Amino acid sequence: MLKAEYEKLVLHFKRPSGTSRGVLTEKVSYLVRITDDRLPGVAGLGECSLIPGLSPDEVPGYEEHLQWVCQNIDQLQYRFHQELLLFPSIRFGVETALLDLRKGGTQHFFDTSFAAGEAGILINGLIWMGNLAYMMEQVEAKLANGFSCLKMKIGAIGIEQELAVLRSIRSRYAATQLQLRVDANGAFTESQAMPVLAQLADLQVHSIEQPLAAGQWEAMGRVCQQSPIPVALDEELIGLYDATQRMEMLGAIQPQYIILKPSLLGGFQASQEWIALADSLNIGWWVTSALEANVGLNAIAQWTSTFKPSMPQGLGTGALYTNNVPSGLCILGEQLWLKA
């Protein structure tokens, strides 16, 4: 018989972190532990991660629903994907905890070179929103560490200042030396987006994530069709649980890439479903963490490593907190590693 319990974890940022949902100083995750009376001394650990204003299951009664899931885990273990459809963060936490349990409770979810500590995963260097000086400080630190791909948030402090940062970087590093990605988090209207995209193209920016707010399929489709640089969808994927609806969205917008965030999409099975749809439409993709603690980040990174990705992934958010869960995850140069 399976038993489950959860623990609330309030993560404190080392410094206030600017996001499209405002400045965060802390965020909440719930750690789920699942045991099996046939496996004494073994416990599977998973993380249910919530982002204020973004997680679709950030609703009143969330913790009570998580408690109900824990109380009924033995009955839910084979049908949690269906039962927890509207609670993607809990679905992700339960999925990874069950996987960990079945693998011996060691937090080694997949048999890959990364999981064995023998290889790293190439990641982008993330530049957080902030004033111009802070953003330039981050850029210099990432470049000093040898990153060949930087991802910068735009649409927060003023596009002219943000373009100035990008111009400064590009004046020193050609596109063959340094890849630049930007994430707008839905900051622009359709009319605002096109002039910005033209300037980004002049700077040989690799791609832009979510230039318009989610839900504007026709407008986003026009932007994707007319944009001089590739467009990647991020928030657009969140909250779409039906395969037909997902296909309709991708068909209507026809993006060049989609961004997979397992803790926001409902875990690995849900992300695999998105990958299958994207592959069928010749749409590229990469994986990004979403402010998880090291428990969730570790699981996501190991899952990502099963695809042996060659392009940089967005997995560098593990060092944000003062009270993170102890882990062997570390960033060496521009790669994420899992050390014993």
Side-chain angles (χ1 to χ4, degrees):
M1 182 175 181
L2 298 189
K3 294 181 180 178
E5 59 182 7
Y6 72 88
E7 170 191 355
K8 186 176 183 178
L9 179 63
V10 181
L11 295 159
H12 300 285
F13 285 84
K14 291 178 180 177
R15 63 181 297 169
S17 295
T19 74
S20 59
R21 269 68 190 173
V23 177
L24 299 178
T25 57
E26 63 181 32
K27 75 164 290 290
V28 171
S29 279
Y30 295 87
L31 301 183
V32 176
R33 290 180 178 83
I34 301 178
T35 57
D36 187 331
D37 56 13
R38 297 166 297 180
L39 301 170
V42 177
L45 185 64
E47 178 183 353
C48 308
S49 175
L50 291 174
I51 299 180
L54 184 59
S55 296
D57 49 354
E58 186 201 24
V59 295
Y62 177 93
E63 193 166 341
E64 288 79 4
H65 192 75
L66 178 57
Q67 187 173 39
W68 175 84
V69 169
C70 288
Q71 291 169 344
N72 294 276
I73 193 62
D74 196 57
Q75 294 76 34
L76 289 173
Q77 60 177 307
Y78 299 114
R79 52 188 176 90
F80 70 91
H81 287 293
Q82 295 75 33
E83 293 286 339
L84 302 179
L85 198 64
L86 301 182
F87 287 85
S89 65
I90 299 178
R91 186 178 170 188
F92 170 68
V94 168
E95 181 183 43
T96 50
L98 287 172
L99 181 59
D100 186 30
L101 178 67
R102 290 159 188 163
K103 296 285 285 185
T106 61
Q107 291 287 285
H108 281 262
F109 301 90
F110 299 96
D111 299 321
T112 66
S113 297
F114 172 80
E118 299 168 355
I121 299 174
L122 186 65
I123 62 173
N124 60 239
L126 179 61
I127 309 303
W128 287 91
M129 293 176 177
N131 61 39
L132 189 58
Y134 174 50
M135 294 177 77
M136 287 304 302
E137 175 189 324
Q138 295 177 79
V139 167
E140 296 301 332
K142 297 296 184 186
L143 293 175
N145 286 334
F147 278 88
S148 60
C149 176
L150 297 184
K151 172 184 166 182
M152 195 173 98
K153 303 278 189 176
I154 64 171
I157 64 170
I159 190 61
E160 289 308 320
Q161 289 188 71
E162 292 155 349
L163 286 169
V165 175
L166 292 168
R167 289 192 190 101
S168 173
I169 300 169
R170 187 54 83 216
S171 69
R172 295 155 57 196
Y173 297 91
T176 53
Q177 298 172 292
L178 181 67
Q179 184 181 105
L180 294 175
R181 299 174 178 174
V182 297
D183 184 359
N185 289 122
F188 305 116
T189 64
E190 183 179 359
S191 60
Q192 291 171 334
M194 297 314 298
V196 171
L197 291 168
Q199 294 181 81
L200 295 175
D202 289 341
L203 294 169
Q204 294 179 279
V205 168
H206 170 270
S207 56
I208 183 171
E209 293 180 33
Q210 203 69 43
L212 311 186
Q216 305 174 74
W217 293 5
E218 288 186 15
M220 186 71 89
R222 288 191 294 270
V223 169
C224 287
Q225 189 175 40
Q226 299 168 23
S227 175
I229 65 171
V231 175
L233 301 185
D234 179 354
E235 290 92 339
E236 204 74 62
L237 280 60
I238 297 171
L240 298 184
Y241 307 117
D242 178 75
T244 301
Q245 192 177 29
R246 292 171 177 173
M247 182 61 88
E248 287 176 355
M249 184 276 289
L250 291 178
I253 297 178
Q254 298 183 43
Q256 285 76 32
Y257 295 100
I258 60 172
I259 310 299
L260 301 168
K261 294 180 175 176
S263 66
L264 290 170
L265 299 180
F268 300 142
Q269 179 175 306
S271 297
Q272 295 270 183
E273 292 166 358
W274 276 110
I275 289 172
L277 287 176
D279 287 347
S280 72
L281 297 170
N282 200 31
I283 295 170
W285 56 269
W286 66 83
V287 182
T288 298
S289 54
L291 302 183
E292 299 86 3
N294 280 332
V295 173
L297 176 59
N298 176 36
I300 292 170
Q302 289 190 41
W303 174 73
T304 303
S305 72
T306 65
F307 298 99
K308 299 179 180 179
S310 57
M311 69 187 306
Q313 307 293 298
L315 301 173
T317 59
L320 294 174
Y321 307 113
T322 60
N323 60 329
N324 209 334
V325 178
S327 168
L329 291 171
C330 60
I331 295 175
L332 301 176
E334 60 175 345
Q335 292 188 329
L336 180 69
W337 284 78
L338 181 60
K339 297 295 186 179

